[in-house]
Amino acid sequence: MGFILKLLLTAILTYLLAAFLPGAHIDGFGSAIWLVIVLALLNAFVKPILQLIGLPITIITLGLFLLVINALIIMLASYLLSGFEISGFFAALLFSIVLSLVTTVVDKVVD
């Protein structure tokens, strides 16, 4: 039950973020649910590979390169989903930072 609640809350907040943040657009709530699912899959399978490849840069930048990896994951999700559009790298970076903060709050509240 907690998984479904987290999924729905994250989808609602993702939909609201896309409505308020510049450069991000989601067609509807169904697209927001699909975006949350695709982001979860990308974070589970693609992100560890990118982190391993980018480990030297991450060490040199003291972890700031992880923000770039998060933005790349958002851009990849935008490429994979037709109902989610992101206008560029900086919009993806802003979206990923705010989404990370919001999902942290959701994880604390639901658990």
Side-chain angles (χ1 to χ4, degrees), residues 31 34-35 37-39 41-43 46 72-86:
S31 295
W34 279 111
L35 175 63
I37 293 169
V38 167
L39 284 176
L41 291 173
L42 288 174
N43 282 331
V46 177
L72 291 175
I73 294 291
I74 295 291
M75 292 177 75
L76 183 58
S78 173
Y79 176 76
L80 294 173
L81 291 173
S82 61
F84 174 61
E85 296 294 326
I86 202 84

Side-chain angles (χ1 to χ4, degrees), residues 71-107:
L72 291 175
I73 294 291
I74 295 291
M75 292 177 75
L76 183 58
S78 173
Y79 176 76
L80 294 173
L81 291 173
S82 61
F84 174 61
E85 296 294 326
I86 202 84
S87 65
F89 177 76
F90 290 108
L93 183 65
L94 179 64
F95 190 83
S96 70
I97 290 170
V98 176
L99 185 61
S100 296
L101 293 173
V102 167
T103 54
T104 301
V105 171
V106 168
D107 288 341

Side-chain angles (χ1 to χ4, degrees), residues 35-57:
L35 175 63
V36 171
I37 293 169
V38 167
L39 284 176
L41 291 173
L42 288 174
N43 282 331
F45 296 110
V46 177
K47 190 174 181 179
I49 296 168
L50 291 176
Q51 286 176 335
L52 185 63
I53 292 170
L55 185 62
I57 299 171

